[in-house]
Amino acid sequence: YVQEAIYSVLNQTYRKYELIVVDDGSTDGTKEVIEKKYKGKLQYYWQRNKGESRARNYGISLAKGKFLAFLDSDDKWHPEKLHYQVDELERRLKENKKIALLCSSVWLIDANGKLINSQPSGRTMNIEKYEIEDFLFRPRIFAPPSNAIFVTEYVKNVGCFREDIQYGEDWLLLIKL
């Protein structure tokens, strides 16, 4: 799936991005394929298996942009994801400098890339009006890292992803933000 994920980034209509791939210890020849096939199109870093959070935090430390967007190897982006999210986040930041991230709905697909259902998942309207308790006790958003765009400064200010927990590190980052 990693090549499909990479292709979905390279196929973005928005072109002002840096593509950083952090390989968390694969031993299946991924390194050789990516370095050969995508040379000059991305930055590739391999590390011993240290977990998702360390891999993401390593990518954050390398990133130079104002925004961060994560893409797990088994996910894909719509070709206009970055275009719409960057435009919308830039627009909203002009009104409110305290916005830390922007999430989108997602289409759930199966292993073959076929839609599981025709309705997007995670659609919640007026989410900015909810209080922190709404997120702690009644999750209101469907926000794995792959469907959000984050303000780099704020992610770094809250300490990025917790590396000492295995599950829920993405949810914890959302709560901290």
Side-chain angles (χ1 to χ4, degrees):
Y1 298 119
V2 71
Q3 290 189 69
E4 288 183 45
I6 290 169
Y7 178 75
S8 79
V9 176
L10 296 175
N11 197 34
Q12 290 294 300
T13 58
Y14 181 86
R15 304 302 301 165
K16 297 177 191 171
Y17 63 82
E18 59 181 332
L19 176 51
I20 299 169
V21 175
V22 178
D23 182 336
D24 190 36
S26 69
T27 57
D28 61 359
T30 296
K31 180 178 191 218
E32 293 75 22
V33 170
I34 290 177
E35 286 180 336
K36 182 179 178 184
K37 187 170 184 175
Y38 302 104
K39 188 174 185 166
K41 296 179 182 175
L42 55 79
Q43 300 170 53
Y44 178 83
Y45 301 91
W46 185 92
Q47 68 177 22
R48 290 188 194 273
N49 181 258
K50 297 177 181 177
E52 284 179 353
S53 292
R54 271 233 187 129
R56 288 179 181 147
N57 288 344
Y58 184 40
I60 292 167
S61 75
L62 299 167
K64 296 174 182 73
K66 178 179 176 181
F67 303 129
L68 297 167
F70 301 96
L71 182 60
D72 290 342
S73 61
D74 61 345
D75 292 337
K76 296 190 286 188
W77 285 345
H78 185 279
E80 294 180 318
K81 175 214 189 312
L82 291 179
H83 168 78
Y84 285 114
Q85 284 191 313
V86 168
D87 279 358
E88 184 65 16
L89 188 52
E90 289 278 13
R91 185 185 71 72
R92 289 182 181 221
L93 283 169
K94 287 177 185 171
E95 299 167 9
N96 180 354
K97 299 280 186 217
K98 294 182 180 182
I99 294 174
L101 70 138
L102 182 88
C103 295
S104 67
S105 298
V106 299
W107 280 286
L108 301 177
I109 58 173
D110 65 17
N112 299 312
K114 303 284 185 220
L115 283 175
I116 292 174
N117 59 43
S118 61
Q119 295 296 316
S121 296
R123 190 157 299 228
T124 300
M125 302 307 287
N126 299 314
I127 197 167
E128 59 273 1
K129 293 184 171 59
Y130 289 112
E131 298 296 328
I132 189 68
E133 293 81 10
D134 292 312
F135 298 102
L136 292 172
F137 301 112
R138 292 178 302 283
R140 302 280 184 179
I141 57 175
F142 186 80
S146 293
N147 76 321
I149 185 169
F150 299 80
V151 176
T152 305
E153 172 188 3
Y154 292 137
V155 172
K156 289 181 176 181
N157 286 348
V158 299
C160 303
F161 290 92
R162 285 266 310 261
E163 296 179 5
D164 60 333
I165 58 175
Q166 189 173 7
Y167 300 104
E169 71 286 343
D170 51 349
W171 189 250
L172 182 57
L173 176 63
L174 292 174
I175 291 169
K176 291 190 300 184
L177 289 169

